[in-house]
Every structure is written in structure tokens, then in C-alpha cells.
Amino acid sequence: MNVIMTALDVEHAAVLEHLVDVRPHRHPAGTVFDVGTVAGHPGHRVALTMTGAGTTAAATLTERANAEFAPTAMVFVGVAGGLRDWLAIGDVVVATKIYSYQGGRSENDEFLVRPSAWSVAHRLDQEARRLLRGNAWHSFLPDRTENDPPVAYFEPIAVGDVVLNSRTSELARRLHTSYNDAVAIEMEGSGFAHAAHLGDQVRAVSVRGISDHADGGKAAADRSGGQRLAARNAAAFAIALITALEPDEDTPGGEEPPPPAVPVIHNTNTARDNARVGQQIGVNFGSARRFP
């Protein structure tokens, strides 16, 4: 059994599209989990729930899900604001590190950061990176496009209970100064990661789709479908990762089909003029973007 957690309806719906034979599982405290099987993969069951926005609710329900299901892995799937211009709407960021950026000490004339940070589980990181080979995870997208396919990156993410919609606000400046390697921002990952760490260090990873650029244009991006696209792509990557893990030992019925084909590609990519090639060592992403 694996657990997938989401915060918003659009994220929950995107994951649910990949599940069949879904049944409600009601926790005594009232939380309802949708338990189903990944379509075409009878050996991979998933318990899906929605936490609502914010780190506290994410932490509480992560602990609850871990105690209820003792999952092999836990994945938080959702949308995020991009902090880099080279991230396109719909690209996916797998969080190699999650910063809780609100920790600190406030003095008369300065804020001294005291962050907490959690790294992705090594096993999940290794399996997720394999999905980049030949863009194997694209096979889980509902409508594959060859013209401008989404790209998956492995980068740090900043998390706090604030919706950032500016590149010039005090928070934006603090992120740029003190969390300069973070490429996206969201609102649940630190609670999720902290609870997973305390839960006997359950394997956990956060997968986020870029829905806007945290630059004042969030409302317009949402209206144009940015959240739906980001949630769809993040869900596809998460489901591909789940199916790459070992199937459930106690799931009867049918043989598990092989995971997405990961072709061996022998090529050389050369970056010039600071071109962004992401994770392209022997891998064809199909696109490259520049740093700002």
C-alpha cells in the first residue's frame, strides 16, 4: 500500500483519474481515504486523501495516514508557484529538499532565518530519477503531446503558510537571499515531510506541478487552467513513481505488468551560453530553458 496526499480538489481529482475500484476507507477520527488500485497495475494499491491547505493539516493527516496504512511510500502531490523563469507552467518539480522558511528570530531591524529542512527519501529519489530516462513518466499523461512536453526537475522547494504572489515583496526578497536554491514555493510540504520523518522515517517525497510564477499573475494563470495542468502532470509523475516501486505483497488477482519502459539512450548533451538542461545526462528531455 502507498499513500498519496493532496491539498486541493483539483489535485485530488487528478490523482483519482488514475485509480480504479475505489472504495472509501473511513478513519475513526473522521478522515475519509479513497482506496483504489492504479489502473492497469493490480499490484499497486493507493490510499488517497485531501488535507486542505496549510502545513498543520498536512502534518496531522500524514501522521494519521502513516499509522492507518503503514505505507511503503508516501507522496504529496500538488501545485506550486515557480520562482524561476525557466520553469514553464505544467513542469514538475520533485523536491530534493523541503525548506520550512518561516522559522527565524525577529530583531529590531532584521529577521534572522532559522530554517528547518528535510531531504527526499533516497530510495524514492533514485526510482524517480529513473523515470526521466526517455521521459518514461509521460506514458501516464492523459493526453501526450510531442510539441511541448512537460519537464521534470529535481530541485529544492520552500514551504510556508503564505500564498506568495509577488517577486518584490519582503517574503520574496527573503527567499531570494536565504533560500536561493529553492525553485518553487508551496504550503504543505514541510508539515508532510516533518510528520513523515517523525513517523519512523517513512519514505516520503513531494511532487509539485508549476501552476504560476508567483509574480502577481496567479489569478490569471489559474483562470487559464494552470492549476489543472500542473495537478495533472504532478499526478502523472507520482503515479509513474508508485508503479516503479515493488508491488503490494498482499494484493491478489492478476500479474503486474512491467513498469514504464526506460530505454537506454547513448547521447551527449552539450550546454552553451548557460543553457538549462536539467537532468539530461544521457537523457532526452526534448527541451532546454535558460536561467534568468
Side-chain angles (χ1 to χ4, degrees):
M1 174 73 75
N2 297 280
V3 167
I4 294 181
M5 312 192 73
T6 62
L8 307 176
D9 286 319
V10 66
E11 300 160 352
H12 187 274
V15 176
L16 202 57
E17 289 183 358
H18 293 273
L19 304 182
V20 296
D21 299 326
V22 178
R23 300 287 188 275
H25 178 95
R26 293 178 172 86
H27 188 274
T31 306
V32 179
F33 296 88
D34 288 306
V35 177
T37 303
V38 177
H41 295 264
H44 288 91
R45 290 190 302 157
V46 171
L48 170 66
T49 192
M50 186 165 57
T51 68
T55 58
T56 303
T60 301
L61 294 190
T62 298
E63 169 65 21
R64 186 167 296 170
N66 185 32
E68 185 75 358
F69 298 104
T72 301
M74 301 185 77
V75 186
F76 208 107
V77 173
V79 302
L83 301 177
R84 297 290 188 273
D85 291 337
W86 46 262
L87 284 169
I89 302 299
D91 280 350
V92 171
V93 177
V94 180
T96 56
K97 186 188 299 182
I98 292 175
Y99 290 117
S100 177
Y101 65 74
Q102 290 178 302
R105 179 183 177 93
S106 181
E107 299 287 358
N108 289 335
D109 57 352
E110 62 182 341
F111 183 88
L112 305 175
V113 297
R114 295 181 177 181
S116 296
W118 299 267
S119 296
V120 60
H122 177 66
R123 185 182 299 273
L124 298 184
D125 178 69
Q126 293 286 290
E127 294 293 349
R129 290 178 188 271
R130 287 178 55 81
L131 297 175
L132 301 181
R133 302 178 185 179
N135 283 328
W137 67 279
H138 284 179
S139 64
F140 286 88
L141 293 172
D143 52 341
R144 300 177 62 183
T145 173
E146 302 298 332
N147 295 329
D148 191 20
V151 181
Y153 296 96
F154 286 71
E155 302 282 357
I157 286 178
V159 181
D161 288 308
V162 177
V163 176
L164 178 65
N165 193 28
S166 170
R167 292 286 182 92
T168 60
S169 67
E170 185 277 332
L171 174 57
R173 292 192 298 270
R174 191 198 314 167
L175 291 174
H176 177 75
T177 301
S178 302
Y179 305 90
N180 189 254
D181 59 341
V183 306
I185 184 169
E186 44 100 345
M187 297 178 61
E188 296 81 32
S190 60
F192 166 72
H194 194 184
H197 172 75
L198 295 177
D200 200 19
Q201 298 188 354
V202 62
R203 297 166 185 162
V205 62
S206 182
V207 178
R208 295 281 172 167
I210 300 302
S211 61
D212 63 87
H213 284 106
D215 58 0
K218 176 174 172 52
D222 290 350
R223 285 195 301 270
S224 64
Q227 279 197 342
R228 290 191 300 274
L229 179 63
R232 182 203 73 170
N233 294 352
F237 192 98
I239 291 295
L241 174 58
I242 291 295
T243 61
L245 304 177
E246 289 294 322
D248 300 338
E249 295 181 357
D250 59 345
T251 303
E255 293 186 358
E256 180 74 9
V262 180
V264 178
I265 301 175
H266 301 284
N267 64 353
T268 301
N269 295 291
T270 304
R272 294 186 175 89
D273 301 325
N274 295 322
R276 175 79 179 183
V277 295
Q279 307 290 328
Q280 283 199 343
I281 301 175
V283 178
N284 179 17
F285 280 95
S287 63
R289 298 190 176 94
R290 296 180 181 274
F291 282 114

